[in-house]
Amino acid sequence: MVKSLLTFGHKTGLIQANAGAALNTAKPKDTLSQKILTEAEVRALIAGEPCDRNRLIFKVFYYVGLRVSELCNLNWEDFSSNGESGQLLVYGKGDKTRVVLLPKMLYAELLKSRGDAGKLEPIFISRKKSDGGRLNPISVTQIVKAAAVRVGLSEKASAHWLRHCHASHALNRGAPIHLLSQTLGHASVATTSKYLHAKPNDSSGLYLAT
């Protein structure tokens, strides 16, 4: 942060010399692999949640790969049928939209949960009346953390962990990386490729004699 500030000062003419150029900043440790649960752990997280709404939230995170803000912003007008299943219109980063297909079971569960809700109502409703009954990201994060602790998983767990799990597990099961990139709403496949290295299925060391 200091290096960026000094460089900015030099570029804008506030500082004659760019002192930031001499600073060596260490690259932060990549901890992505620690944030990816196993498939069994994801199933335990979902099964251990007593609230129907929260279980459905976890399933949408995992099977659709949403960011927490994207889930909170979903309205019923964004939910529609697609053949025998359905789809979600997702508003993502940079005001970009994408359409994500739903597994049949998830489409059926969402459809059942709708009741008589109107198109402009949130898919996931908060118990509080503020903000039109819409869930906020902080509340959702707290829900995930509590569920993780309940089944003996890390208290550091967050909603974004389920997005990481979606990516890693989909790749392990043979999903094309370009398709995963589209589903997650990444601007580049290069961003998605980080999941190829987070939980490797093979290593050169496994070929050595032991």
Side-chain angles (χ1 to χ4, degrees):
M1 185 175 179
V2 174
K3 182 175 183 179
S4 298
L5 183 61
L6 292 172
T7 301
F8 175 77
H10 174 65
K11 288 182 178 180
T12 56
L14 296 174
I15 303 175
Q16 290 186 350
N18 183 8
L23 295 176
N24 291 320
T25 55
K27 187 176 180 180
K29 183 180 179 181
D30 186 354
T31 59
L32 177 59
S33 63
Q34 299 172 5
K35 301 173 183 177
I36 299 175
L37 306 174
T38 66
E39 291 187 17
E41 288 172 332
V42 172
R43 289 194 295 271
L45 180 72
I46 295 172
E49 172 56 54
C51 174
D52 292 341
R53 181 203 63 178
N54 294 350
R55 283 200 304 274
L56 193 51
I57 285 174
F58 299 164
K59 289 179 182 180
V60 170
F61 276 133
Y62 181 62
Y63 290 106
V64 188
L66 297 187
R67 302 177 177 94
V68 64
S69 60
E70 294 171 344
L71 179 133
C72 292
N73 289 331
L74 285 175
N75 291 335
W76 284 111
E77 65 178 350
D78 305 318
F79 173 78
S80 59
S81 62
N82 184 323
E84 296 181 356
S85 185
Q87 63 187 41
L88 287 174
L89 179 63
V90 182
Y91 298 84
K93 278 187 176 179
D95 297 325
K96 294 180 180 179
T97 61
R98 64 188 189 276
V99 177
V100 183
L101 294 177
L102 301 171
K104 290 182 182 179
M105 65 83 183
L106 184 56
Y107 171 67
E109 288 189 40
L110 282 168
L111 192 61
K112 183 180 179 181
S113 74
R114 180 171 184 174
D116 58 357
K119 287 187 175 182
L120 298 181
E121 292 185 53
I123 289 181
F124 296 106
I125 300 175
S126 171
R127 296 182 177 89
K128 299 179 180 179
K129 300 299 181 182
S130 60
D131 197 21
R134 187 179 300 278
L135 278 170
N136 66 69
I138 294 177
S139 297
V140 174
T141 298
Q142 292 172 342
I143 289 169
V144 176
K145 286 182 179 297
V149 171
R150 186 181 297 115
V151 295
L153 299 176
S154 173
E155 61 182 11
K156 296 180 180 179
S158 70
H160 214 70
W161 281 32
L162 290 174
R163 178 174 160 90
H164 293 324
C165 293
H166 170 102
S168 180
H169 299 172
L171 285 174
N172 288 344
R173 288 184 170 271
I177 191 169
H178 69 275
L179 177 60
L180 176 60
S181 184
Q182 292 172 12
T183 300
L184 295 179
H186 285 162
S188 169
V189 172
T191 303
T192 318
S193 67
K194 66 184 179 181
Y195 292 104
L196 293 171
H197 311 293
K199 288 283 186 178
N201 291 321
D202 207 355
S203 170
S204 56
L206 302 182
Y207 293 82
L208 303 178
T210 57

